[in-house]
Amino acid sequence: MDIKELKKLADSGDAKAQNELGDMYKDGEGVEQDDKKAVKYFRMAAAQGDRRGEYNMGWMCHRGRGMKQDFEETFNWYRLAAEKGEAFAQCNLGFMYSEGSGVEQDNVEAMKWFKLAAENGDSMAYYNIGSMYSNGEGVEQDTEEAFKWYEKAAEMGYADSQSLVGSMYLYGDTVEANHEKAFKWFKLAAEQDEVIAQFYLATLYKNGTGVEKDDKEALKWFTLSAEQGDPDAQYALGFIYENGEGVDQDLAESTRWYRLAAEQVHIAAQYCVGWAYLYGNGIEKNESEAVKWFELSADGGDADAQLILGRMYSKGIGVEKNESEAFNWCKLSAEQEHAEAQYFLAAMYVMGEGVKQDKKEATRLCRLSAEQGYADAQFTLGMMFDEGDGVKEDKNEAIKWLKLAAEQGHEGAQNELNQRIRTVKASNKMKVK
């Protein structure tokens, strides 16, 4: 309908035209976006007792668009519309009761309005009822009942619920795990631009879970999710471009995606950005900038970042040398059972770097590292048993640890074992007078 004709109808008191014109101004469709004009037309419809106009007034007031944000006024508008059977208003009224927004918090009342909205066909209400059952809010907790409501919302096309049902099938949460069903629901949600579903769908394609492995499809969905700002998808793209998985290796593109994720406090991505700056991967080498990103990741608890930061402080790379700071970071990493950090920390105890010399503690840490399969620690522990250094001399135990290290390709351990073999052979030669 022509805008002039629509305005004419709205000005003559046609509530449907008033709501339609309000929507146009709210969304900037066919007219210049103008929230105040949207409120003007919604208010005209609401003044006539039109339930859609009342809902729209609540919606604008809830968000403070074109008018002052006021939760109590929002509640009143939603209530007027809800009592007339407006499903969206009923659902939003339930939400306000559940949150105690503009009204005293009341989960029982929230459930009442969600169920009324559901009876009127609102898919979000079905999802919210599922959430209430899942959390035991307003009703006795019942995860199986929750799943029924979630699945109904998903069947009605509600993307958030499709994504959640997909996740429940993927991990076997409440229902028996079924990767094919997980794929189905993630795909339906992803096609509605649900960002988390896009990430999971990409992961299923990448791993061949519930669907035939397809790196091209994985890249497509990771990219769609990442472009919407999902940090896990951005990190995944960084990894894909760094390693050239299904694409040409592109370190600059890899670092770009890592950085976008890192700026959203993705701890693993922060570590990767630090690594890129440290070695100049796809970005100009900058050791002090590397320290900055490693510190962010380390503060977030990343054990790899804590170790490398400790090493940088130990050697004065990108930061002033500080053995005490080096020890503290390596200790944090080792406490997370990081095998390499345990070994590095053991060396610091041996040398007395950043901490009082303590060979007993060094031996303990070296053993912990060796037991986790760290080859350098296995070699060192083997030599300690061979020489009786910090432990009771035990040649059999020495051979055991040297063999474990050698099996991992440790050259020192291989050379040591080969030397022993040559020595044994030499001693077994026939002797003559």
Side-chain angles (χ1 to χ4, degrees), residues 303-304 306-307 328-338 341:
D304 288 330
Q306 291 167 343
L307 172 60
N328 290 336
W329 283 115
C330 288
K331 187 171 186 289
L332 285 172
S333 182
E335 287 171 350
Q336 294 193 64
E337 300 183 0
H338 192 294

Side-chain angles (χ1 to χ4, degrees), residues 61-75:
C61 188
H62 202 173
R63 292 157 179 77
R65 288 184 55 176
M67 60 192 300
K68 181 181 177 182
Q69 188 179 49
D70 185 326
F71 294 140
E72 288 187 12
E73 184 180 350
T74 297
F75 174 83

Side-chain angles (χ1 to χ4, degrees), residues 150-163:
Y150 286 143
E151 191 169 46
K152 179 62 177 177
E155 289 167 352
M156 295 171 73
Y158 188 58
D160 286 354
S161 209
Q162 291 171 336
S163 183

Side-chain angles (χ1 to χ4, degrees), residues 51 95 107 121 168 225-226 277 323 328-329 341 394 399 422:
R51 69 184 193 182
F95 176 80
N107 283 328
M168 294 174 81
S225 182
Y277 273 114
E323 290 182 350
N328 290 336
W329 283 115
D394 188 329
I399 294 295
R422 286 193 292 270

